[in-house]
Amino acid sequence: MNGLMQGKKIIIMGVASERSLGWGVARSLHTAGAEMIFTYRQDRSAQKLEKLLAAEGMDSMMVQCDVADDESIHRAFAEISQCTDTVHGLVHSIAFADKDELKGEYIETSREGYLLAQNASSYSLVAAARAVRPLMKSGGSIVTQSYLGAERVVKNYNVMGVAKAALEASVRYLAEDLGKEQIRVNAVSSGPVRTLSAKGVAGFNDILGTMAEKAPLRRNVDQAEIGDATLFFLSDLSRGVTGEVLHVDGGYHILG
Ligand code: IMJ
């Protein structure tokens, strides 16, 4: 324990398995001495989370929260505020699109599929930021997870790329709104990592292979590296940084 996050309370939204980027964040935060509160949508995630917490000897609060449902968000943050009056950080590690939209041509995206991806993956950050704001009484740090597909065309990423572009723009607008309260908002743009969200993605092995071959660091990144970069944003080490998108991708994004 290095104590960087001693006495800090952090909400982590979106741990679905031990492979989740959010779980990488939880491990980094645990080592740094933070107290954590987890939100989950599905009961299946809650069961996995319970086991993970037990295995790590972590005793954290768990709260059900469906970010597509305002009532659910309200209930979740009311429950959190009954147990704590101050929160120092929030990690948004949530994305969802219909899997049928994550293949073929982007031009075929349905209105329903577009709105679903935006609602679950992008608007959810705005809603979470508004819900956590009153709990961040001594300033705070909000961090979300993005991907290169927000800035470049990545095969099959399609409607998620447009949702991540909106997410990154939201990071900047939220950073302006919340800056006057010393609440910072940043994103980590992760290289490809094998998570449940990457499962079944056509050509994912090729994407990992290209990254390992071409990225300046000539290797892939892992959950621990995403966790440590997110820890930096949550900690006082990044106190002068807001509205930023930090690429943790072995340098892949600099290539032309
Ligand atoms: C996802 C789809 C297509 C290409 C992809 C990805 N690449 C990467 C991902 C190259 C790295 C993973 N990623 C960054 C995501 O944001 C994934 C989001 C996602 C994944 C699924 C799969 C299962 C499902 N819905 C999903 N919604 C969002 O039903």
Side-chain angles (χ1 to χ4, degrees):
M1 200 172 294
N2 60 30
L4 187 61
M5 297 297 286
Q6 210 72 50
K8 303 274 194 208
K9 246 174 236 167
I10 312 292
I11 298 170
I12 304 186
M13 311 181 81
V15 176
S17 82
E18 80 267 30
R19 290 196 159 175
S20 294
L21 299 186
W23 186 244
V25 176
R27 293 175 72 117
S28 293
L29 283 175
H30 182 59
T31 306
E35 194 180 314
M36 285 167 269
I37 298 164
F38 293 87
T39 77
Y40 61 90
R41 177 170 63 116
Q42 294 171 303
D43 291 337
R44 200 163 6 120
S45 302
Q47 288 163 17
K48 285 190 195 170
L49 197 48
E50 238 164 46
K51 282 186 192 153
L52 289 172
L53 293 173
E56 293 281 321
M58 289 161 60
D59 177 30
S60 300
M61 183 181 183
M62 286 172 47
V63 185
Q64 211 270 333
C65 183
D66 178 357
V67 291
D69 177 354
D70 287 327
E71 193 52 45
S72 174
I73 295 173
H74 180 80
R75 259 186 276 118
F77 281 82
E79 195 179 330
I80 291 169
S81 63
Q82 278 179 348
C83 300
T84 179
D85 53 34
T86 308
V87 162
H88 306 92
L90 180 136
V91 179
H92 173 276
S93 189
I94 293 173
F96 189 76
D98 188 321
K99 66 176 181 346
D100 293 336
E101 305 280 10
L102 301 173
K103 59 185 179 204
E105 290 190 328
Y106 171 68
I107 201 169
E108 297 298 340
T109 303
S110 69
R111 188 181 301 273
E112 196 191 358
Y114 187 97
L115 293 174
L116 172 73
Q118 287 285 341
N119 189 29
S121 315
S122 175
Y123 185 76
S124 57
L125 177 69
V126 185
R130 202 164 55 242
V132 80
R133 183 186 202 170
L135 287 168
M136 290 186 163
K137 291 170 186 155
S138 50
S141 171
I142 297 173
V143 188
T144 188
Q145 304 295 338
S146 194
Y147 176 60
L148 187 64
E151 310 160 63
R152 314 262 194 84
V153 175
V154 175
K155 194 171 160 48
N156 294 328
Y157 201 57
N158 298 359
V159 75
M160 271 309 306
V162 176
K164 291 297 194 190
L167 179 74
E168 291 184 7
S170 277
V171 162
R172 294 183 281 272
Y173 280 91
L174 292 169
E176 163 57 20
D177 288 345
L178 297 174
K180 50 188 169 300
E181 295 162 35
Q182 299 308 307
I183 300 170
R184 300 180 292 108
V185 188
N186 294 288
V188 168
S189 184
S190 168
V193 177
R194 212 184 281 286
T195 65
L196 281 182
S197 273
K199 215 175 155 185
V201 170
F204 197 76
N205 283 339
D206 293 343
I207 288 162
L208 288 175
T210 303
M211 165 96 173
E213 189 188 333
K214 307 266 194 230
L217 293 184
R218 303 295 197 280
R219 63 172 177 82
N220 281 284
V221 295
D222 63 17
Q223 286 88 340
E225 292 172 314
I226 305 310
D228 283 352
T230 305
L231 166 62
F232 164 72
F233 275 142
L234 291 167
S235 81
D236 261 9
L237 293 177
S238 62
R239 61 195 174 278
V241 185
T242 195
E244 188 66 281
V245 180
L246 177 64
H247 294 80
V248 181
D249 65 348
Y252 187 79
H253 73 284
I254 70 173
L255 298 176

